[in-house]
Amino acid sequence: MIVRLGFVAMSTAEVMKGVSPSRTMTLKSFAKLADREAALRKLEHIAAENLHNTLRLLKHCTYNDVHVYRLTSKLIPLATHPDLVDWNPFAALADSFREVGDYAREHQMRLSFHPDHFTVLSTPRPEVLESSIRDLRYHVDMFEAMGLDCRAKNNIHIGGAYGDKPSAGERFAEAAVKLPESFKRRLTLENDDKTFDAIETLEMCERLSLPMVLDIHHQWVNNQGETPSELWPRILRTWESDYAQADSPADRPLPPKIHASSPKSETDRRSHADGVEAGPLLDFLRSIASVTEEVDVMLEAKLKDGALFALMDELSHYQGDGVEILDRASVRISG
């Protein structure tokens, strides 16, 4: 089984110091500028710089053989704020977005977004649902501005239980079904660490034909007694669903994807540590290797790419024990 490792948004490498893809501007600072058009141009300038730094990060990925990368949602400051609903920045940023997308396609990179925890389709409040759909539109618009097809996904959680988990699940399903087709084709669902566990998320994915991203750390701290490997054959099948398929049968299918992180401490098992321990992750990967050809692993660690490089170094010590190092960010695992 071939395993490709990826990281989230930022680099902690010294050579990439100061290369931020998420510079922002507060609404308070925006409001202080008397000339609204000038303020909007400033927002667009910041966004263009964020996209330029994103391109630099993708080149950093390519240099280090990383093909799996999560984009920050903060590329365009204040993009979904209700006070700026009349602002459409995409025309001004068209070239910058296209440059990022062209590079990702040329180098066969798997890009994704993870809209933040305010994007909740299970909410009982209509205004929050409206805001959540607006946020999903923003993420879809960014992918489309990059010219990326539906293999570029938006990963979300089902959301809160609001005191009645079955009802919250039904609200999520109803809202998801009503989403535009272009939204649904880019969605993946992930189990969370407090509310909707892996079994409940998997059942929702099967119901809606959505692919599931298994977070093995979340599953360890929020489960019904099952192991992640016990659920894996069903999770694997969700990656064969209609909404997991590429736009064209000629396109390479998407490998399944998981999230991996390690607990910060014994007393704080939900928070993410700086790095990722090789042992527990390797145990899981070995357990699925016989039934899985490829899997992409998004590392959710505080040290970002630093955690990836440290993990690869640790995995190198397992060579000859069912682990083969393929390059600086991928390995072959035997069951």
Side-chain angles (χ1 to χ4, degrees):
M1 177 179 71
I2 294 175
V3 181
R4 302 189 305 177
L5 303 179
F7 68 96
V8 177
M10 299 286 293
S11 169
T12 58
E14 184 64 28
V15 69
M16 298 299 288
K17 188 174 182 179
V19 181
S20 172
S22 53
R23 282 189 59 222
T24 191
M25 182 181 188
T26 66
L27 186 66
K28 185 176 180 180
S29 297
F30 177 87
K32 285 181 179 179
L33 299 176
D35 186 332
R36 191 172 190 274
E37 285 303 313
L40 291 174
R41 300 297 81 78
K42 184 171 183 178
L43 286 177
E44 290 166 1
H45 176 78
I46 294 172
E49 185 175 328
N50 286 341
L51 287 162
H52 173 71
N53 284 339
T54 296
L55 184 60
R56 292 177 65 185
L57 282 158
L58 295 188
K59 291 178 179 179
H60 171 68
C61 287
T62 299
Y63 179 79
N64 289 288
D65 303 318
V66 177
H67 288 88
V68 183
Y69 174 76
R70 182 191 298 168
L71 298 153
T72 175
S73 294
K74 299 177 181 178
L75 290 174
I76 308 177
L78 303 178
T80 60
H81 197 283
D83 289 356
L84 279 79
V85 291
D86 60 330
W87 173 48
N88 182 356
F90 286 97
L93 298 170
D95 290 343
S96 297
F97 271 110
R98 190 179 305 111
E99 196 173 12
V100 170
D102 288 348
Y103 187 89
R105 280 196 309 277
E106 179 185 352
H107 295 275
Q108 299 183 326
M109 304 189 74
R110 181 176 188 171
L111 302 186
S112 62
F113 283 116
H114 195 344
D116 67 29
H117 61 283
F118 296 111
T119 304
V120 282
L121 301 184
S122 64
T123 178
R125 296 169 57 190
E127 70 275 15
V128 175
L129 178 60
E130 182 181 351
S131 174
S132 298
I133 293 172
R134 183 167 63 244
D135 193 56
L136 282 178
R137 180 174 298 281
Y138 162 61
H139 287 85
V140 169
D141 286 347
M142 286 194 288
F143 277 141
E144 291 183 348
M146 293 177 196
L148 298 178
D149 65 20
C150 70
R151 287 173 292 183
K153 301 291 189 184
N154 290 317
N155 183 60
I156 63 173
H157 299 284
I158 294 176
Y162 303 97
D164 183 349
K165 191 188 288 188
S167 295
E170 285 303 311
R171 284 195 301 271
F172 176 91
E174 291 171 8
V177 166
K178 293 176 183 177
L179 290 173
E181 197 70 12
S182 60
F183 288 30
K184 288 185 281 191
R185 285 187 63 78
R186 292 193 185 274
L187 274 187
T188 58
L189 300 188
E190 174 193 353
N191 56 303
D192 68 62
D193 61 343
K194 292 182 179 179
T195 310
F196 286 91
D197 61 32
I199 289 177
E200 293 161 335
T201 304
L202 174 57
E203 290 171 348
M204 186 66 72
C205 286
E206 292 170 335
R207 175 178 174 179
L208 301 177
S209 295
L210 294 174
M212 176 174 169
V213 173
L214 173 67
D215 189 308
I216 57 175
H217 182 178
H218 289 172
Q219 197 276 338
W220 291 333
V221 299
N222 181 27
N223 61 69
Q224 299 181 32
E226 77 289 347
T227 66
S229 54
E230 287 172 340
L231 295 179
W232 185 251
R234 285 172 62 191
I235 292 171
L236 196 57
R237 285 193 291 274
T238 69
W239 289 92
E240 300 169 358
S241 66
D242 290 343
Y243 290 130
Q245 297 303 308
D247 284 345
S248 166
D251 291 334
R252 180 175 177 272
L254 268 177
K257 188 178 186 182
I258 69 169
H259 289 174
S261 52
S262 294
K264 184 177 181 180
S265 67
E266 282 298 321
T267 56
D268 186 3
R269 296 193 59 77
R270 284 189 165 87
S271 297
H272 295 171
D274 288 346
V276 178
E277 296 178 43
L281 174 59
L282 189 53
D283 287 344
F284 171 72
L285 294 174
R286 282 173 166 158
S287 75
I288 67 170
S290 63
V291 296
T292 312
E293 293 183 6
E294 299 176 277
V295 66
D296 288 339
V297 181
M298 179 60 68
L299 302 180
E300 296 184 315
K302 298 296 184 182
L303 287 179
K304 310 296 185 180
D305 55 344
L308 187 158
F309 302 140
L311 177 61
M312 285 297 300
D313 182 63
E314 192 174 350
L315 288 172
S316 70
H317 299 302
Y318 290 86
Q319 289 193 94
D321 187 19
V323 176
E324 177 188 354
I325 305 297
L326 300 179
D327 56 33
R328 282 174 282 193
S330 60
V331 298
R332 180 178 283 112
I333 304 289
S334 301

